Amino acid sequence: MHSENVITLSKKNIPKRWYNIQPDLRKPLEPPLHPATRQPMTPKEMEMIFPGNLMEQEASQERWIDIPEDVLDVLSMWRPTPLIRARKFEEALETPAQIWYKYEGGSPPGSHKPNTAVPQAYFNKKAGIKRLATETGAGQWGSALAFACYHYGLKCQVYMVKVSYQQKPYRKSMMHLWQAEVTPSPSNKTEVGRKILEKDPECLGSLGIAISEAIEDTLHHPDTKYSLGSVLNHVLMHQTIIGLETKEQLKMAGVKPDIIIGCVGGGSNYAGLALPFMADKLAGKDDYKFIAVEPTACPSLTRGEYRYDFGDTVGMTPLIKMYTLGRNFIAPPIHSGGLRYHGMAPIISNLVNEGLMEAQAKLQIPTFEAAVLFARTEGIIPAPETAHAIRATVDEALKAKKENTPRVILFNFSGHGLLDLSAYDAYFSGELKDYEYVPQKEG
Ligand SMILES: *Cc1c(COP(=O)(O)O)cnc(C)c1O
C-alpha cells in the first residue's frame, strides 16, 4: 500500500485544459431565457452583462478548452494544490475507510474561488473591459475577484451582503487590500437597493439582492461587465482544474475513490472536483457515488423545485433552469454565507435530476462538530461551508465502520476558516442554532 499522506503534482504537470461536461450530459442543458420575453437569450443579449468570450464558453459544446498561458501563470502561484490523506482524522473516527481531501485553502484568498476569478478577469481584460461589478456573500468571492482584478489592472466593485459586511470585517479588509470598492448591500448606490431600503431600512440583504445591485450597476456603466462566482457553466468549467489534478494525484497514489463529496452553494467547487470523475461515469467507464452537501437552512437540491427561475431577487437576470427555493428566499443567518443562495448550478441540477448525483442536507451544529474534529486531528481549520462536506464524509466513514467495508472517500476542501473563527466561537459558546427549512411565499 502507498504510504504517502500528501500527494503533490509538479508545476509542469498542471492541467492545460478545462473539462466542459456539456457535450457529455445525458440531457442537454436548457437555454437561459430573457427576463422580459421569456424567449431563449441571444448571444447579443447575454453580452449586455458578460463579455462575448466568456459567453462562448458558457454555451460551448467543445469537451476540452485550452487554459491560456497567462492564466496558468497566475494559477501556478498556488496550483497544483495538494491531495492529502486525512490519516489522523480516520484514526479518530476508527473507520476502515480511507479519507482523502483536495486542499483548496492555499490560494491567496483561501478558497477555490480564484480558479475562476483569474480566468474571468483575464477574459474581460481581453475583451477590453475596464471594470467588473459583482456581489459577495461571506466575502470569499469578492476577495477572489479583487485579487484577480488587481492582477489584471481592472477596477472591481463589490456589493457585499450587509449581514456579512457587519459580521466579517476582515474579508472587507482583504478586498480593500486588493483595491476593490466594497459597498454593503442593499445600498443607496442603485435603484434596486434604494427601493428595498425604503420598504425595510433594516434589511440585512441577501445574495439575490446583491446580484440585482451588481447587474444594475453593470447596465449603467458602459466600461463594466458583471462577474459571477458560481452557478454558471463557464464558472464550473474553470473549476474542473481541481478534479483534473486530483485524478492525476490519485493515480500517483494508486487509489480509486468510491465516494466523492463536496459542499454546494451555487455548485462550483463541488463541480470542479466531481465533473472530471462524472465524465467516466457518463462514459460507462467507472462508477462513483457522488454526494452534494447543502445546509438544511438553504436546501435547494433536497427541498427546492426544478424549474426556470431568476438568479437574483428582483428578476433582472436571465431565467435559468435549476433547483430553486424561489428568488425571494432569504436563508436564515447560518455561518456558511457561501451556501445561502436560493438556486443551484444548472449542471449540478441536471445531474441530480438525472439521478447521477445524490444530494444531502446537513444541520449546522453537527456540521461544526465534524469541522472541529477535523481541525483538531488534521490541524487545518475548515470554512463553515467546507464543514458540510466534512459532515457528510464523517457520516460515510461511520457507515463504512458499521458495515466493516474499507471504502475510499474523497472530498473537496473548498476553503480554510481562518477568517471564520467567530463562527467557531459561537459554536463553542452554544450560541449556534440548527435551522430547518421553512418555505417562503413568492412575492
Ligand atoms: C463560496 C464558497 C462555497 C460555495 O460555493 P460553490 O460555488 O458551491 O462552491 C463553498 N466553500 C467555500 C470555502 C466558499 O468560499
Side-chain angles (χ1 to χ4, degrees):
M1 200 182 85
H2 204 283
S3 61
E4 279 295 334
N5 280 356
V6 182
I7 311 292
T8 48
L9 205 57
S10 75
K11 292 271 179 212
K12 69 175 184 341
N13 290 327
I14 191 169
K16 307 289 188 300
R17 301 180 301 177
W18 290 300
Y19 169 58
N20 174 23
I21 199 171
Q22 290 194 61
D24 295 333
L25 291 173
R26 288 200 181 143
K27 225 171 152 184
L29 297 177
E30 289 169 69
L33 303 182
H34 192 283
T37 64
R38 310 237 166 176
Q39 293 302 306
M41 294 282 285
T42 63
K44 267 262 157 317
E45 287 166 340
M46 292 297 274
E47 284 175 35
M48 304 268 292
I49 37 182
F50 298 105
N53 48 16
L54 286 176
M55 284 306 93
E56 254 167 55
Q57 293 180 6
E58 183 66 14
S60 173
Q61 294 299 315
E62 295 287 328
R63 184 170 291 119
W64 296 100
I65 294 191
D66 287 338
I67 308 176
E69 208 44 58
D70 199 315
V71 170
L72 281 175
D73 183 54
V74 180
L75 294 181
S76 63
M77 285 166 75
W78 70 95
R79 304 207 73 85
T81 61
L83 175 71
I84 303 172
R85 180 160 174 198
R87 268 186 207 272
K88 293 204 160 54
F89 191 48
E90 289 171 15
E91 280 162 23
L93 293 168
E94 299 177 325
T95 176
Q98 283 189 30
I99 298 174
W100 292 84
Y101 64 98
K102 179 69 164 162
Y103 183 61
E104 292 293 310
S107 76
S111 76
H112 66 286
K113 289 199 169 78
N115 296 333
T116 184
V118 170
Q120 286 195 47
Y122 169 85
F123 284 108
N124 273 285
K125 170 97 177 173
K126 247 191 123 189
I129 303 307
K130 301 281 188 270
R131 176 176 176 270
L132 290 179
T134 197
E135 73 292 329
T136 195
Q140 291 270 21
W141 170 242
S143 48
L145 193 68
F147 161 75
C149 282
Y150 178 81
H151 191 83
Y152 289 107
L154 299 174
K155 286 190 198 151
C156 184
Q157 166 67 55
V158 182
Y159 292 90
M160 183 172 190
V161 177
K162 198 175 278 169
V163 61
S164 304
Y165 186 90
Q166 293 168 350
Q167 270 179 6
K168 312 217 164 180
Y170 295 128
R171 283 274 159 205
K172 181 179 54 188
S173 312
M174 207 187 249
M175 289 183 261
H176 283 153
L177 186 155
W178 282 311
Q179 298 193 326
E181 189 168 335
V182 188
T183 307
S185 163
S187 77
N188 281 317
K189 264 182 114 130
T190 66
E191 189 65 43
V192 165
R194 286 190 291 272
K195 268 199 192 130
I196 289 168
L197 287 175
E198 232 167 73
K199 267 211 310 220
D200 176 11
E202 305 300 315
C203 179
L204 288 176
S206 72
L207 218 44
I209 293 172
I211 296 175
S212 302
E213 290 208 281
I215 291 196
E216 184 185 321
D217 180 307
T218 303
L219 294 172
H220 289 174
H221 293 85
D223 63 345
T224 300
K225 293 288 178 212
Y226 170 65
S227 174
L228 190 60
S230 186
V231 180
L232 298 178
N233 306 333
H234 68 277
V235 178
L236 272 57
M237 185 187 77
H238 295 157
Q239 293 293 353
T240 59
I241 194 164
I242 299 174
L244 294 167
E245 284 177 8
T246 306
K247 274 182 133 176
E248 286 307 309
Q249 289 163 311
L250 286 169
K251 235 184 267 166
M252 288 163 71
V255 279
K256 192 182 158 291
D258 300 298
I259 306 170
I260 300 175
I261 295 173
C263 65
V264 288
S268 73
N269 86 84
Y270 183 49
L273 177 70
L275 298 187
F277 292 91
M278 184 62 80
D280 296 338
K281 180 160 173 161
L282 289 167
K285 271 199 268 182
D286 270 313
D287 200 12
Y288 306 99
K289 178 172 168 180
F290 292 94
I291 307 175
V293 192
E294 59 189 11
T296 51
C298 190
S300 46
L301 285 173
T302 51
R303 303 285 301 275
E305 292 172 32
Y306 189 43
R307 61 172 169 88
Y308 270 104
D309 196 7
F310 293 98
D312 66 337
T313 300
V314 176
M316 293 171 80
T317 68
L319 289 137
I320 52 179
K321 179 84 179 275
M322 61 179 175
Y323 278 95
T324 175
L325 297 166
R327 67 187 159 106
N328 290 312
F329 180 74
I330 296 185
I334 52 167
H335 283 271
S336 301
L339 306 184
R340 292 176 73 238
Y341 186 58
H342 68 270
M344 185 54 62
I347 288 173
I348 294 288
S349 297
N350 175 296
L351 293 168
V352 168
N353 192 248
E354 289 289 302
L356 291 158
M357 187 179 272
E358 185 180 306
Q360 296 180 2
K362 302 293 179 193
L363 289 164
Q364 180 164 245
I365 294 171
T367 294
F368 269 89
E369 191 188 324
V372 166
L373 181 66
F374 186 89
R376 285 181 177 161
T377 53
E378 292 297 310
I380 299 180
I381 301 171
E385 291 86 354
T386 310
H388 289 77
I390 298 176
R391 179 70 247 175
T393 297
V394 168
D395 293 345
E396 291 299 320
L398 295 179
K399 206 193 286 172
K401 177 176 171 180
K402 210 164 131 205
E403 294 166 3
N404 200 17
T405 332
R407 295 202 181 88
V408 177
I409 305 171
L410 167 68
F411 78 87
N412 199 33
F413 192 103
S414 55
H416 71 63
L418 295 178
L419 295 182
D420 301 286
L421 292 174
S422 59
Y424 282 87
D425 285 342
Y427 168 73
F428 288 122
S429 64
E431 284 162 36
L432 285 195
K433 275 195 273 180
D434 277 334
Y435 293 96
E436 287 287 358
Y437 171 62
V438 185
Q440 292 174 8
K441 283 196 191 74
E442 286 285 305

